[in-house]
Each structure stands twice: as C-alpha cells, then as structure tokens.
Amino acid sequence: MIRTRLYALSLALLLVPLSACGLADADLGGFTMSSESMEPTIKKGTRLSVRRTSDYDPRTGDIVLYRTPEGWRDTTAGDERVGRVIGTPESTVKCCGAGGRLELSGKALEEPYLAQPPASHKAFDIQVPRGRLWIMSDNRHIALDSRAYRDAPGGGTIEIADVIGVIEASHSSEAGAGAF
C-alpha cells in the first residue's frame, strides 16, 4: 500500500513538470516589441503573445517572430525580429504597381495595416525561392526588412525554419489595444 502511494506520488512529481514544459513550448509569451518597425499595427513597447511553431505553414499576412539569417549585415545571425510574411515560397513580390501598391504573384496586395503609402520607396521584383519567405514590416519607411538584405545570401529571404512563432495578439496599456 505504501509502495503504491510512493509510486503514484513520484509519478505525479515527474509528470507535472513535464506537462508544464509542453505549455511553455506552445506559448512563448513575454516578448516585447522593441522598435517602431511594425507600427501602427504593433506599437513599440507592446507585449506580444507568440505561439511557437515547429512546423510553420506560411500564409501571406501572418506576423511572425523569426531569427535573422547568416549574412544580414549589421545583425547577428539568430537575432529575433518581428515582421509580416508577404511572399510565400514560389510567389513573386513586386514593387510597386498602380497607386504604389505591392503586387503578389501579379495581383495588387491590399495592405490596410501600412503606416503610410507607398508600399516601398525601393523598387524590387523577387521570386521567393522554395522553402523561403519574403518578410516586410508595416512601418516600411523606417524598417529594415527583406528589402534591405537583397544582396545577402537568399536575396533577403529567410528560411521557413527561421520562424520561431506566430504573433497571436498584442497587449498594451493604451486604450483600445488588444488582439489584431
């Protein structure tokens, strides 16, 4: 009887911490936006909820936490950044079409989240390689995103595997802030 209770207690003590580790992997939480690059969508100082993903299925418009790749100048490989997925594998991203808008695989992209038009002051036309993503920020006139690293390996794209997680919500002390 005592042996059975000790076994049950030791099993419970082992499983409780393991289950907590699984929850930590599912939600990184505790991440704070450190720049203005995603404004107006995410203001500097906003606390973000991040869902970790080990098998990310990219979608245009997702806001992600990612690691900077090797070869991006003035960064350390592995630095964490927040950006919006614009180009998914094998899509074409071009700037700029009519009205200063991005074109995604030949169609004008609706971007109501932009800080201000045009979509970019830098012209570009890129075919996103298989397994890679083209990332841009919402405050494009100040942000360093895929456009700034076109001369780096990968042509400014990041590997899908560099995505750490998807931003699910923002929390701010400002009135009206919340999920986007």
Side-chain angles (χ1 to χ4, degrees):
M1 183 74 156
I2 293 175
R3 180 176 279 176
T4 304
R5 286 184 180 167
L6 285 174
Y7 177 75
L9 178 61
S10 62
L11 187 60
L13 290 173
L14 176 67
L15 292 178
V16 168
L18 289 177
S19 65
C21 288
L23 292 174
D25 284 346
D27 183 11
L28 295 171
F31 186 82
T32 301
M33 189 68 190
S34 61
S35 75
E36 297 89 8
S37 66
M38 285 300 293
E39 290 184 1
T41 307
I42 305 172
K43 296 199 180 304
K44 181 179 179 178
T46 299
R47 195 145 171 85
L48 305 172
S49 294
V50 182
R51 179 180 42 85
R52 182 182 295 272
T53 179
S54 58
D55 190 22
Y56 176 57
D57 182 22
R59 290 181 301 233
T60 298
D62 283 351
I63 300 175
V64 296
L65 176 65
Y66 67 96
R67 288 180 211 88
T68 57
E70 191 75 38
W72 279 19
R73 69 185 175 289
D74 301 324
T75 68
T76 302
D79 282 351
E80 294 177 350
R81 289 192 180 181
V82 174
R84 187 179 296 274
V85 174
I86 299 296
T88 55
E90 301 182 29
S91 65
T92 301
V93 184
K94 180 179 180 181
C95 190
C96 282
R101 293 170 55 188
L102 286 183
E103 291 181 5
L104 182 61
S105 297
K107 295 181 181 172
L109 186 62
E110 292 292 325
E111 297 187 286
Y113 44 76
L114 285 182
Q116 60 184 5
S120 177
H121 287 302
K122 296 178 183 180
F124 60 88
D125 188 348
I126 183 163
Q127 172 82 37
V128 181
R130 180 175 287 154
R132 300 188 74 85
L133 302 170
W134 181 262
I135 303 289
M136 294 178 77
S137 299
D138 292 357
N139 196 355
R140 300 201 179 138
H141 303 298
I142 66 159
L144 295 176
D145 51 32
S146 287
R147 298 166 301 156
Y149 302 103
R150 300 235 13 243
D151 58 342
T157 62
I158 67 164
E159 290 185 30
I160 292 173
D162 286 333
V163 173
I164 299 166
V166 178
I167 308 298
E168 292 192 317
S170 64
H171 311 283
S172 174
S173 59
E174 294 181 29
F180 37 81

